[in-house]
Amino acid sequence: MKVALVSSSSGSHGGGEFYLRELACGLQDAGHDPTVWLSKHGSMEALSRSILDRNLKLRQFDYLNTYQRKGRSLSAWLDRRTAARLSAEFQQSEADVIHINQQCLEDGLDLLRAAADSGKPAVSTIHVTRSAKNLGARLGWLRDLICRQALRSAAVPLIGISDVSAGDLAAFV
């Protein structure tokens, strides 16, 4: 099976990025054909090198992550042009399934929309499943409102990385 492992590209040194790299290695060892998709942004350079060092396929694509956007999650969710472009890239890829790797609930909402709109089977792993309000984030209630709507309407199955995070995710959505 050909799998596109798409990073929300929020940085290249966290646990979610290591998870993505190790998932790609495990899939390859199991006889699948993974390709890791990372933003061309310079912040992803270390992860790009580690992907290539492991002899994994890498596809770098034009993408502005949520935290580089002025309006953060709202800007990402409302950016239909980027979602349409990425959806077309997913459609044109040889991937049988699209796996989105999100740092947190509000991260990569445009990627979720693109995956859902591509018509290909898709799934997303979310690493931090606590709400913005719960984390004490500025305008957390509003960010949660946007995020909840986006996660529900994308209709992509969501995976938490533990039983606790899966419970948090189910309660949030």
Side-chain angles (χ1 to χ4, degrees), residues 31-69:
H32 298 288
D33 185 10
T35 300
V36 180
W37 290 44
L38 301 177
S39 166
K40 290 180 181 176
H41 192 271
S43 66
M44 301 307 292
E45 186 59 35
L47 182 58
S48 296
R49 282 193 309 274
S50 75
I51 296 294
L52 294 173
D53 288 346
R54 295 278 187 101
N55 295 316
L56 296 165
K57 291 181 186 175
L58 173 65
R59 179 169 179 180
Q60 294 180 294
F61 65 109
D62 289 319
Y63 180 67
L64 186 64
N65 79 42
T66 300
Y67 301 104
Q68 294 167 336
R69 292 173 172 272

PDB file of all heavy atoms in Angstrom, residues 31-69:
ATOM      1  N   GLY A  31       6.519  -3.730   4.453  1.00  0.00           N
ATOM      2  CA  GLY A  31       6.313  -3.957   3.028  1.00  0.00           C
ATOM      3  C   GLY A  31       5.453  -2.921   2.326  1.00  0.00           C
ATOM      4  O   GLY A  31       5.114  -3.088   1.159  1.00  0.00           O
ATOM      5  N   HIS A  32       5.116  -1.838   3.018  1.00  0.00           N
ATOM      6  CA  HIS A  32       4.334  -0.772   2.397  1.00  0.00           C
ATOM      7  C   HIS A  32       5.272   0.255   1.776  1.00  0.00           C
ATOM      8  O   HIS A  32       6.486   0.185   1.928  1.00  0.00           O
ATOM      9  CB  HIS A  32       3.400  -0.134   3.425  1.00  0.00           C
ATOM     10  CG  HIS A  32       2.415  -1.103   3.983  1.00  0.00           C
ATOM     11  ND1 HIS A  32       1.348  -1.589   3.262  1.00  0.00           N
ATOM     12  CD2 HIS A  32       2.353  -1.705   5.190  1.00  0.00           C
ATOM     13  CE1 HIS A  32       0.654  -2.439   3.997  1.00  0.00           C
ATOM     14  NE2 HIS A  32       1.250  -2.534   5.178  1.00  0.00           N
ATOM     15  N   ASP A  33       4.702   1.222   1.101  1.00  0.00           N
ATOM     16  CA  ASP A  33       5.477   2.221   0.374  1.00  0.00           C
ATOM     17  C   ASP A  33       5.098   3.627   0.873  1.00  0.00           C
ATOM     18  O   ASP A  33       4.283   4.308   0.256  1.00  0.00           O
ATOM     19  CB  ASP A  33       5.185   2.073  -1.121  1.00  0.00           C
ATOM     20  CG  ASP A  33       6.039   2.982  -1.995  1.00  0.00           C
ATOM     21  OD1 ASP A  33       6.989   3.610  -1.492  1.00  0.00           O
ATOM     22  OD2 ASP A  33       5.733   3.068  -3.197  1.00  0.00           O
ATOM     23  N   PRO A  34       5.683   4.060   2.014  1.00  0.00           N
ATOM     24  CA  PRO A  34       5.344   5.381   2.542  1.00  0.00           C
ATOM     25  C   PRO A  34       6.170   6.502   1.900  1.00  0.00           C
ATOM     26  O   PRO A  34       7.318   6.305   1.513  1.00  0.00           O
ATOM     27  CB  PRO A  34       5.706   5.270   4.023  1.00  0.00           C
ATOM     28  CG  PRO A  34       6.858   4.309   4.035  1.00  0.00           C
ATOM     29  CD  PRO A  34       6.581   3.324   2.906  1.00  0.00           C
ATOM     30  N   THR A  35       5.550   7.660   1.780  1.00  0.00           N
ATOM     31  CA  THR A  35       6.241   8.886   1.403  1.00  0.00           C
ATOM     32  C   THR A  35       5.897   9.929   2.451  1.00  0.00           C
ATOM     33  O   THR A  35       4.725  10.149   2.745  1.00  0.00           O
ATOM     34  CB  THR A  35       5.797   9.392   0.015  1.00  0.00           C
ATOM     35  OG1 THR A  35       6.089   8.394  -0.960  1.00  0.00           O
ATOM     36  CG2 THR A  35       6.506  10.686  -0.350  1.00  0.00           C
ATOM     37  N   VAL A  36       6.913  10.532   3.044  1.00  0.00           N
ATOM     38  CA  VAL A  36       6.704  11.565   4.045  1.00  0.00           C
ATOM     39  C   VAL A  36       6.624  12.910   3.331  1.00  0.00           C
ATOM     40  O   VAL A  36       7.513  13.260   2.555  1.00  0.00           O
ATOM     41  CB  VAL A  36       7.830  11.578   5.098  1.00  0.00           C
ATOM     42  CG1 VAL A  36       7.595  12.674   6.128  1.00  0.00           C
ATOM     43  CG2 VAL A  36       7.947  10.210   5.782  1.00  0.00           C
ATOM     44  N   TRP A  37       5.540  13.629   3.581  1.00  0.00           N
ATOM     45  CA  TRP A  37       5.327  14.950   2.996  1.00  0.00           C
ATOM     46  C   TRP A  37       5.630  15.998   4.071  1.00  0.00           C
ATOM     47  O   TRP A  37       5.003  16.003   5.130  1.00  0.00           O
ATOM     48  CB  TRP A  37       3.885  15.120   2.552  1.00  0.00           C
ATOM     49  CG  TRP A  37       3.443  14.318   1.377  1.00  0.00           C
ATOM     50  CD1 TRP A  37       3.685  13.007   1.117  1.00  0.00           C
ATOM     51  CD2 TRP A  37       2.635  14.792   0.310  1.00  0.00           C
ATOM     52  NE1 TRP A  37       3.083  12.638  -0.051  1.00  0.00           N
ATOM     53  CE2 TRP A  37       2.428  13.708  -0.566  1.00  0.00           C
ATOM     54  CE3 TRP A  37       2.054  16.024   0.010  1.00  0.00           C
ATOM     55  CZ2 TRP A  37       1.665  13.820  -1.725  1.00  0.00           C
ATOM     56  CZ3 TRP A  37       1.302  16.131  -1.144  1.00  0.00           C
ATOM     57  CH2 TRP A  37       1.110  15.055  -1.999  1.00  0.00           C
ATOM     58  N   LEU A  38       6.570  16.883   3.781  1.00  0.00           N
ATOM     59  CA  LEU A  38       6.932  17.965   4.700  1.00  0.00           C
ATOM     60  C   LEU A  38       6.913  19.297   3.974  1.00  0.00           C
ATOM     61  O   LEU A  38       7.247  19.370   2.785  1.00  0.00           O
ATOM     62  CB  LEU A  38       8.350  17.751   5.250  1.00  0.00           C
ATOM     63  CG  LEU A  38       8.656  16.479   6.010  1.00  0.00           C
ATOM     64  CD1 LEU A  38      10.127  16.438   6.387  1.00  0.00           C
ATOM     65  CD2 LEU A  38       7.786  16.381   7.246  1.00  0.00           C
ATOM     66  N   SER A  39       6.603  20.328   4.712  1.00  0.00           N
ATOM     67  CA  SER A  39       6.688  21.680   4.177  1.00  0.00           C
ATOM     68  C   SER A  39       8.119  21.979   3.750  1.00  0.00           C
ATOM     69  O   SER A  39       9.072  21.485   4.355  1.00  0.00           O
ATOM     70  CB  SER A  39       6.252  22.678   5.253  1.00  0.00           C
ATOM     71  OG  SER A  39       6.606  23.983   4.900  1.00  0.00           O
ATOM     72  N   LYS A  40       8.251  22.809   2.723  1.00  0.00           N
ATOM     73  CA  LYS A  40       9.578  23.251   2.278  1.00  0.00           C
ATOM     74  C   LYS A  40      10.193  24.266   3.241  1.00  0.00           C
ATOM     75  O   LYS A  40      11.337  24.662   3.072  1.00  0.00           O
ATOM     76  CB  LYS A  40       9.478  23.887   0.887  1.00  0.00           C
ATOM     77  CG  LYS A  40       9.181  22.909  -0.218  1.00  0.00           C
ATOM     78  CD  LYS A  40       9.106  23.632  -1.558  1.00  0.00           C
ATOM     79  CE  LYS A  40       8.778  22.677  -2.676  1.00  0.00           C
ATOM     80  NZ  LYS A  40       8.618  23.378  -3.961  1.00  0.00           N
ATOM     81  N   HIS A  41       9.440  24.685   4.249  1.00  0.00           N
ATOM     82  CA  HIS A  41       9.904  25.696   5.199  1.00  0.00           C
ATOM     83  C   HIS A  41      11.198  25.244   5.885  1.00  0.00           C
ATOM     84  O   HIS A  41      11.369  24.066   6.208  1.00  0.00           O
ATOM     85  CB  HIS A  41       8.816  25.962   6.237  1.00  0.00           C
ATOM     86  CG  HIS A  41       9.077  27.166   7.066  1.00  0.00           C
ATOM     87  ND1 HIS A  41       9.795  27.116   8.230  1.00  0.00           N
ATOM     88  CD2 HIS A  41       8.727  28.462   6.879  1.00  0.00           C
ATOM     89  CE1 HIS A  41       9.870  28.326   8.751  1.00  0.00           C
ATOM     90  NE2 HIS A  41       9.228  29.160   7.949  1.00  0.00           N
ATOM     91  N   GLY A  42      12.099  26.177   6.107  1.00  0.00           N
ATOM     92  CA  GLY A  42      13.392  25.884   6.722  1.00  0.00           C
ATOM     93  C   GLY A  42      13.311  25.214   8.084  1.00  0.00           C
ATOM     94  O   GLY A  42      14.236  24.495   8.477  1.00  0.00           O
ATOM     95  N   SER A  43      12.212  25.423   8.807  1.00  0.00           N
ATOM     96  CA  SER A  43      12.077  24.803  10.128  1.00  0.00           C
ATOM     97  C   SER A  43      11.979  23.285  10.047  1.00  0.00           C
ATOM     98  O   SER A  43      12.138  22.593  11.046  1.00  0.00           O
ATOM     99  CB  SER A  43      10.847  25.351  10.857  1.00  0.00           C
ATOM    100  OG  SER A  43       9.656  24.958  10.191  1.00  0.00           O
ATOM    101  N   MET A  44      11.748  22.768   8.854  1.00  0.00           N
ATOM    102  CA  MET A  44      11.606  21.323   8.675  1.00  0.00           C
ATOM    103  C   MET A  44      12.889  20.663   8.157  1.00  0.00           C
ATOM    104  O   MET A  44      12.903  19.472   7.871  1.00  0.00           O
ATOM    105  CB  MET A  44      10.439  21.035   7.722  1.00  0.00           C
ATOM    106  CG  MET A  44       9.104  21.571   8.201  1.00  0.00           C
ATOM    107  SD  MET A  44       8.661  21.061   9.870  1.00  0.00           S
ATOM    108  CE  MET A  44       8.405  19.323   9.631  1.00  0.00           C
ATOM    109  N   GLU A  45      13.950  21.423   8.064  1.00  0.00           N
ATOM    110  CA  GLU A  45      15.197  20.910   7.483  1.00  0.00           C
ATOM    111  C   GLU A  45      15.776  19.734   8.260  1.00  0.00           C
ATOM    112  O   GLU A  45      16.199  18.739   7.665  1.00  0.00           O
ATOM    113  CB  GLU A  45      16.235  22.045   7.386  1.00  0.00           C
ATOM    114  CG  GLU A  45      17.502  21.644   6.660  1.00  0.00           C
ATOM    115  CD  GLU A  45      17.256  21.174   5.236  1.00  0.00           C
ATOM    116  OE1 GLU A  45      16.356  21.708   4.560  1.00  0.00           O
ATOM    117  OE2 GLU A  45      17.972  20.246   4.799  1.00  0.00           O
ATOM    118  N   ALA A  46      15.810  19.808   9.584  1.00  0.00           N
ATOM    119  CA  ALA A  46      16.377  18.707  10.372  1.00  0.00           C
ATOM    120  C   ALA A  46      15.592  17.418  10.162  1.00  0.00           C
ATOM    121  O   ALA A  46      16.177  16.342   9.996  1.00  0.00           O
ATOM    122  CB  ALA A  46      16.418  19.080  11.850  1.00  0.00           C
ATOM    123  N   LEU A  47      14.285  17.519  10.153  1.00  0.00           N
ATOM    124  CA  LEU A  47      13.471  16.325   9.933  1.00  0.00           C
ATOM    125  C   LEU A  47      13.655  15.807   8.507  1.00  0.00           C
ATOM    126  O   LEU A  47      13.752  14.598   8.293  1.00  0.00           O
ATOM    127  CB  LEU A  47      11.994  16.606  10.215  1.00  0.00           C
ATOM    128  CG  LEU A  47      11.055  15.407  10.070  1.00  0.00           C
ATOM    129  CD1 LEU A  47      11.468  14.256  10.979  1.00  0.00           C
ATOM    130  CD2 LEU A  47       9.619  15.831  10.366  1.00  0.00           C
ATOM    131  N   SER A  48      13.741  16.700   7.545  1.00  0.00           N
ATOM    132  CA  SER A  48      13.972  16.285   6.158  1.00  0.00           C
ATOM    133  C   SER A  48      15.244  15.458   6.057  1.00  0.00           C
ATOM    134  O   SER A  48      15.265  14.402   5.414  1.00  0.00           O
ATOM    135  CB  SER A  48      14.086  17.502   5.236  1.00  0.00           C
ATOM    136  OG  SER A  48      12.891  18.222   5.208  1.00  0.00           O
ATOM    137  N   ARG A  49      16.309  15.932   6.696  1.00  0.00           N
ATOM    138  CA  ARG A  49      17.576  15.196   6.671  1.00  0.00           C
ATOM    139  C   ARG A  49      17.431  13.824   7.330  1.00  0.00           C
ATOM    140  O   ARG A  49      17.943  12.823   6.824  1.00  0.00           O
ATOM    141  CB  ARG A  49      18.682  15.999   7.354  1.00  0.00           C
ATOM    142  CG  ARG A  49      19.249  17.105   6.495  1.00  0.00           C
ATOM    143  CD  ARG A  49      20.545  17.677   7.063  1.00  0.00           C
ATOM    144  NE  ARG A  49      20.462  18.058   8.470  1.00  0.00           N
ATOM    145  CZ  ARG A  49      20.035  19.240   8.911  1.00  0.00           C
ATOM    146  NH1 ARG A  49      19.656  20.168   8.045  1.00  0.00           N
ATOM    147  NH2 ARG A  49      19.994  19.512  10.188  1.00  0.00           N
ATOM    148  N   SER A  50      16.714  13.771   8.461  1.00  0.00           N
ATOM    149  CA  SER A  50      16.579  12.482   9.150  1.00  0.00           C
ATOM    150  C   SER A  50      15.718  11.505   8.358  1.00  0.00           C
ATOM    151  O   SER A  50      15.931  10.292   8.428  1.00  0.00           O
ATOM    152  CB  SER A  50      16.040  12.669  10.574  1.00  0.00           C
ATOM    153  OG  SER A  50      14.661  12.951  10.582  1.00  0.00           O
ATOM    154  N   ILE A  51      14.755  12.006   7.597  1.00  0.00           N
ATOM    155  CA  ILE A  51      13.939  11.154   6.723  1.00  0.00           C
ATOM    156  C   ILE A  51      14.823  10.555   5.633  1.00  0.00           C
ATOM    157  O   ILE A  51      14.799   9.347   5.376  1.00  0.00           O
ATOM    158  CB  ILE A  51      12.784  11.964   6.088  1.00  0.00           C
ATOM    159  CG1 ILE A  51      11.814  12.481   7.140  1.00  0.00           C
ATOM    160  CG2 ILE A  51      12.080  11.177   4.988  1.00  0.00           C
ATOM    161  CD1 ILE A  51      11.029  11.444   7.874  1.00  0.00           C
ATOM    162  N   LEU A  52      15.626  11.393   5.009  1.00  0.00           N
ATOM    163  CA  LEU A  52      16.512  10.926   3.937  1.00  0.00           C
ATOM    164  C   LEU A  52      17.603  10.006   4.479  1.00  0.00           C
ATOM    165  O   LEU A  52      17.981   9.033   3.815  1.00  0.00           O
ATOM    166  CB  LEU A  52      17.111  12.121   3.191  1.00  0.00           C
ATOM    167  CG  LEU A  52      16.093  12.966   2.413  1.00  0.00           C
ATOM    168  CD1 LEU A  52      16.760  14.228   1.861  1.00  0.00           C
ATOM    169  CD2 LEU A  52      15.422  12.159   1.314  1.00  0.00           C
ATOM    170  N   ASP A  53      18.095  10.298   5.695  1.00  0.00           N
ATOM    171  CA  ASP A  53      19.113   9.434   6.318  1.00  0.00           C
ATOM    172  C   ASP A  53      18.587   8.023   6.546  1.00  0.00           C
ATOM    173  O   ASP A  53      19.362   7.069   6.598  1.00  0.00           O
ATOM    174  CB  ASP A  53      19.590  10.017   7.649  1.00  0.00           C
ATOM    175  CG  ASP A  53      20.474  11.242   7.483  1.00  0.00           C
ATOM    176  OD1 ASP A  53      20.942  11.498   6.349  1.00  0.00           O
ATOM    177  OD2 ASP A  53      20.686  11.954   8.491  1.00  0.00           O
ATOM    178  N   ARG A  54      17.284   7.887   6.694  1.00  0.00           N
ATOM    179  CA  ARG A  54      16.656   6.574   6.913  1.00  0.00           C
ATOM    180  C   ARG A  54      16.243   5.916   5.591  1.00  0.00           C
ATOM    181  O   ARG A  54      15.539   4.928   5.587  1.00  0.00           O
ATOM    182  CB  ARG A  54      15.427   6.713   7.799  1.00  0.00           C
ATOM    183  CG  ARG A  54      15.702   7.170   9.216  1.00  0.00           C
ATOM    184  CD  ARG A  54      16.126   5.995  10.095  1.00  0.00           C
ATOM    185  NE  ARG A  54      16.239   6.385  11.475  1.00  0.00           N
ATOM    186  CZ  ARG A  54      15.331   6.148  12.405  1.00  0.00           C
ATOM    187  NH1 ARG A  54      14.236   5.507  12.125  1.00  0.00           N
ATOM    188  NH2 ARG A  54      15.528   6.554  13.641  1.00  0.00           N
ATOM    189  N   ASN A  55      16.650   6.509   4.479  1.00  0.00           N
ATOM    190  CA  ASN A  55      16.320   5.991   3.142  1.00  0.00           C
ATOM    191  C   ASN A  55      14.819   5.911   2.910  1.00  0.00           C
ATOM    192  O   ASN A  55      14.317   4.977   2.274  1.00  0.00           O
ATOM    193  CB  ASN A  55      16.976   4.621   2.898  1.00  0.00           C
ATOM    194  CG  ASN A  55      18.480   4.722   2.881  1.00  0.00           C
ATOM    195  OD1 ASN A  55      19.035   5.641   2.274  1.00  0.00           O
ATOM    196  ND2 ASN A  55      19.141   3.817   3.567  1.00  0.00           N
ATOM    197  N   LEU A  56      14.110   6.913   3.420  1.00  0.00           N
ATOM    198  CA  LEU A  56      12.668   7.020   3.208  1.00  0.00           C
ATOM    199  C   LEU A  56      12.403   8.012   2.080  1.00  0.00           C
ATOM    200  O   LEU A  56      13.213   8.908   1.831  1.00  0.00           O
ATOM    201  CB  LEU A  56      11.979   7.507   4.484  1.00  0.00           C
ATOM    202  CG  LEU A  56      12.064   6.563   5.686  1.00  0.00           C
ATOM    203  CD1 LEU A  56      11.685   7.303   6.960  1.00  0.00           C
ATOM    204  CD2 LEU A  56      11.176   5.347   5.468  1.00  0.00           C
ATOM    205  N   LYS A  57      11.270   7.848   1.424  1.00  0.00           N
ATOM    206  CA  LYS A  57      10.870   8.796   0.389  1.00  0.00           C
ATOM    207  C   LYS A  57      10.390  10.081   1.055  1.00  0.00           C
ATOM    208  O   LYS A  57       9.643  10.053   2.030  1.00  0.00           O
ATOM    209  CB  LYS A  57       9.747   8.224  -0.469  1.00  0.00           C
ATOM    210  CG  LYS A  57      10.165   7.080  -1.350  1.00  0.00           C
ATOM    211  CD  LYS A  57       8.979   6.608  -2.171  1.00  0.00           C
ATOM    212  CE  LYS A  57       9.306   5.378  -2.966  1.00  0.00           C
ATOM    213  NZ  LYS A  57       8.092   4.881  -3.665  1.00  0.00           N
ATOM    214  N   LEU A  58      10.802  11.202   0.479  1.00  0.00           N
ATOM    215  CA  LEU A  58      10.431  12.517   1.001  1.00  0.00           C
ATOM    216  C   LEU A  58       9.849  13.347  -0.131  1.00  0.00           C
ATOM    217  O   LEU A  58      10.410  13.397  -1.223  1.00  0.00           O
ATOM    218  CB  LEU A  58      11.671  13.224   1.567  1.00  0.00           C
ATOM    219  CG  LEU A  58      11.495  14.675   2.004  1.00  0.00           C
ATOM    220  CD1 LEU A  58      10.532  14.764   3.195  1.00  0.00           C
ATOM    221  CD2 LEU A  58      12.837  15.283   2.356  1.00  0.00           C
ATOM    222  N   ARG A  59       8.741  13.982   0.150  1.00  0.00           N
ATOM    223  CA  ARG A  59       8.168  14.959  -0.781  1.00  0.00           C
ATOM    224  C   ARG A  59       8.012  16.261  -0.018  1.00  0.00           C
ATOM    225  O   ARG A  59       7.289  16.327   0.968  1.00  0.00           O
ATOM    226  CB  ARG A  59       6.820  14.492  -1.308  1.00  0.00           C
ATOM    227  CG  ARG A  59       6.210  15.514  -2.243  1.00  0.00           C
ATOM    228  CD  ARG A  59       5.028  14.976  -2.967  1.00  0.00           C
ATOM    229  NE  ARG A  59       4.471  16.012  -3.818  1.00  0.00           N
ATOM    230  CZ  ARG A  59       3.431  15.837  -4.584  1.00  0.00           C
ATOM    231  NH1 ARG A  59       2.821  14.659  -4.621  1.00  0.00           N
ATOM    232  NH2 ARG A  59       2.958  16.803  -5.324  1.00  0.00           N
ATOM    233  N   GLN A  60       8.716  17.285  -0.464  1.00  0.00           N
ATOM    234  CA  GLN A  60       8.585  18.598   0.151  1.00  0.00           C
ATOM    235  C   GLN A  60       7.594  19.398  -0.681  1.00  0.00           C
ATOM    236  O   GLN A  60       7.651  19.395  -1.912  1.00  0.00           O
ATOM    237  CB  GLN A  60       9.935  19.274   0.232  1.00  0.00           C
ATOM    238  CG  GLN A  60      10.869  18.535   1.190  1.00  0.00           C
ATOM    239  CD  GLN A  60      12.222  19.177   1.294  1.00  0.00           C
ATOM    240  OE1 GLN A  60      12.971  19.202   0.327  1.00  0.00           O
ATOM    241  NE2 GLN A  60      12.534  19.689   2.468  1.00  0.00           N
ATOM    242  N   PHE A  61       6.660  20.058   0.006  1.00  0.00           N
ATOM    243  CA  PHE A  61       5.617  20.788  -0.700  1.00  0.00           C
ATOM    244  C   PHE A  61       5.452  22.179  -0.103  1.00  0.00           C
ATOM    245  O   PHE A  61       5.866  22.437   1.023  1.00  0.00           O
ATOM    246  CB  PHE A  61       4.298  19.993  -0.682  1.00  0.00           C
ATOM    247  CG  PHE A  61       3.675  19.807   0.675  1.00  0.00           C
ATOM    248  CD1 PHE A  61       2.522  20.484   1.018  1.00  0.00           C
ATOM    249  CD2 PHE A  61       4.209  18.925   1.601  1.00  0.00           C
ATOM    250  CE1 PHE A  61       1.921  20.308   2.259  1.00  0.00           C
ATOM    251  CE2 PHE A  61       3.624  18.733   2.845  1.00  0.00           C
ATOM    252  CZ  PHE A  61       2.473  19.431   3.167  1.00  0.00           C
ATOM    253  N   ASP A  62       4.882  23.073  -0.910  1.00  0.00           N
ATOM    254  CA  ASP A  62       4.642  24.440  -0.462  1.00  0.00           C
ATOM    255  C   ASP A  62       3.498  24.428   0.535  1.00  0.00           C
ATOM    256  O   ASP A  62       2.374  24.026   0.196  1.00  0.00           O
ATOM    257  CB  ASP A  62       4.279  25.340  -1.645  1.00  0.00           C
ATOM    258  CG  ASP A  62       5.461  25.602  -2.552  1.00  0.00           C
ATOM    259  OD1 ASP A  62       6.565  25.819  -2.015  1.00  0.00           O
ATOM    260  OD2 ASP A  62       5.286  25.583  -3.781  1.00  0.00           O
ATOM    261  N   TYR A  63       3.801  24.845   1.755  1.00  0.00           N
ATOM    262  CA  TYR A  63       2.778  24.840   2.797  1.00  0.00           C
ATOM    263  C   TYR A  63       3.176  25.802   3.908  1.00  0.00           C
ATOM    264  O   TYR A  63       4.327  25.788   4.357  1.00  0.00           O
ATOM    265  CB  TYR A  63       2.597  23.420   3.364  1.00  0.00           C
ATOM    266  CG  TYR A  63       1.547  23.346   4.443  1.00  0.00           C
ATOM    267  CD1 TYR A  63       0.204  23.560   4.137  1.00  0.00           C
ATOM    268  CD2 TYR A  63       1.893  23.083   5.751  1.00  0.00           C
ATOM    269  CE1 TYR A  63      -0.765  23.511   5.126  1.00  0.00           C
ATOM    270  CE2 TYR A  63       0.926  23.027   6.742  1.00  0.00           C
ATOM    271  CZ  TYR A  63      -0.396  23.239   6.425  1.00  0.00           C
ATOM    272  OH  TYR A  63      -1.365  23.197   7.408  1.00  0.00           O
ATOM    273  N   LEU A  64       2.231  26.612   4.332  1.00  0.00           N
ATOM    274  CA  LEU A  64       2.427  27.537   5.433  1.00  0.00           C
ATOM    275  C   LEU A  64       1.674  26.973   6.626  1.00  0.00           C
ATOM    276  O   LEU A  64       0.443  26.874   6.605  1.00  0.00           O
ATOM    277  CB  LEU A  64       1.871  28.922   5.051  1.00  0.00           C
ATOM    278  CG  LEU A  64       2.112  30.058   6.025  1.00  0.00           C
ATOM    279  CD1 LEU A  64       3.608  30.344   6.155  1.00  0.00           C
ATOM    280  CD2 LEU A  64       1.376  31.308   5.556  1.00  0.00           C
ATOM    281  N   ASN A  65       2.410  26.566   7.667  1.00  0.00           N
ATOM    282  CA  ASN A  65       1.734  25.912   8.788  1.00  0.00           C
ATOM    283  C   ASN A  65       0.891  26.896   9.600  1.00  0.00           C
ATOM    284  O   ASN A  65       1.013  28.109   9.468  1.00  0.00           O
ATOM    285  CB  ASN A  65       2.724  25.127   9.666  1.00  0.00           C
ATOM    286  CG  ASN A  65       3.505  25.989  10.619  1.00  0.00           C
ATOM    287  OD1 ASN A  65       2.999  26.902  11.248  1.00  0.00           O
ATOM    288  ND2 ASN A  65       4.785  25.689  10.743  1.00  0.00           N
ATOM    289  N   THR A  66       0.037  26.351  10.421  1.00  0.00           N
ATOM    290  CA  THR A  66      -0.929  27.129  11.203  1.00  0.00           C
ATOM    291  C   THR A  66      -0.267  28.239  11.999  1.00  0.00           C
ATOM    292  O   THR A  66      -0.776  29.352  12.073  1.00  0.00           O
ATOM    293  CB  THR A  66      -1.707  26.187  12.151  1.00  0.00           C
ATOM    294  OG1 THR A  66      -2.395  25.224  11.358  1.00  0.00           O
ATOM    295  CG2 THR A  66      -2.693  26.951  13.007  1.00  0.00           C
ATOM    296  N   TYR A  67       0.884  27.962  12.601  1.00  0.00           N
ATOM    297  CA  TYR A  67       1.512  28.933  13.496  1.00  0.00           C
ATOM    298  C   TYR A  67       2.286  30.015  12.762  1.00  0.00           C
ATOM    299  O   TYR A  67       2.717  30.979  13.367  1.00  0.00           O
ATOM    300  CB  TYR A  67       2.371  28.197  14.523  1.00  0.00           C
ATOM    301  CG  TYR A  67       1.481  27.257  15.296  1.00  0.00           C
ATOM    302  CD1 TYR A  67       1.488  25.898  15.048  1.00  0.00           C
ATOM    303  CD2 TYR A  67       0.551  27.757  16.202  1.00  0.00           C
ATOM    304  CE1 TYR A  67       0.617  25.050  15.710  1.00  0.00           C
ATOM    305  CE2 TYR A  67      -0.327  26.920  16.854  1.00  0.00           C
ATOM    306  CZ  TYR A  67      -0.287  25.573  16.605  1.00  0.00           C
ATOM    307  OH  TYR A  67      -1.159  24.748  17.258  1.00  0.00           O
ATOM    308  N   GLN A  68       2.440  29.884  11.451  1.00  0.00           N
ATOM    309  CA  GLN A  68       3.046  30.938  10.642  1.00  0.00           C
ATOM    310  C   GLN A  68       1.980  31.852  10.048  1.00  0.00           C
ATOM    311  O   GLN A  68       2.303  32.849   9.424  1.00  0.00           O
ATOM    312  CB  GLN A  68       3.886  30.322   9.524  1.00  0.00           C
ATOM    313  CG  GLN A  68       5.089  29.566  10.037  1.00  0.00           C
ATOM    314  CD  GLN A  68       5.716  28.704   8.963  1.00  0.00           C
ATOM    315  OE1 GLN A  68       5.065  28.315   8.010  1.00  0.00           O
ATOM    316  NE2 GLN A  68       6.987  28.393   9.131  1.00  0.00           N
ATOM    317  N   ARG A  69       0.730  31.505  10.232  1.00  0.00           N
ATOM    318  CA  ARG A  69      -0.379  32.296   9.708  1.00  0.00           C
ATOM    319  C   ARG A  69      -0.801  33.344  10.726  1.00  0.00           C
ATOM    320  O   ARG A  69      -0.879  33.057  11.917  1.00  0.00           O
ATOM    321  CB  ARG A  69      -1.577  31.388   9.402  1.00  0.00           C
ATOM    322  CG  ARG A  69      -1.347  30.432   8.258  1.00  0.00           C
ATOM    323  CD  ARG A  69      -2.527  29.475   8.171  1.00  0.00           C
ATOM    324  NE  ARG A  69      -2.480  28.653   6.995  1.00  0.00           N
ATOM    325  CZ  ARG A  69      -2.994  28.993   5.818  1.00  0.00           C
ATOM    326  NH1 ARG A  69      -3.612  30.141   5.667  1.00  0.00           N
ATOM    327  NH2 ARG A  69      -2.897  28.185   4.793  1.00  0.00           N
TER     328      ARG A  69
END
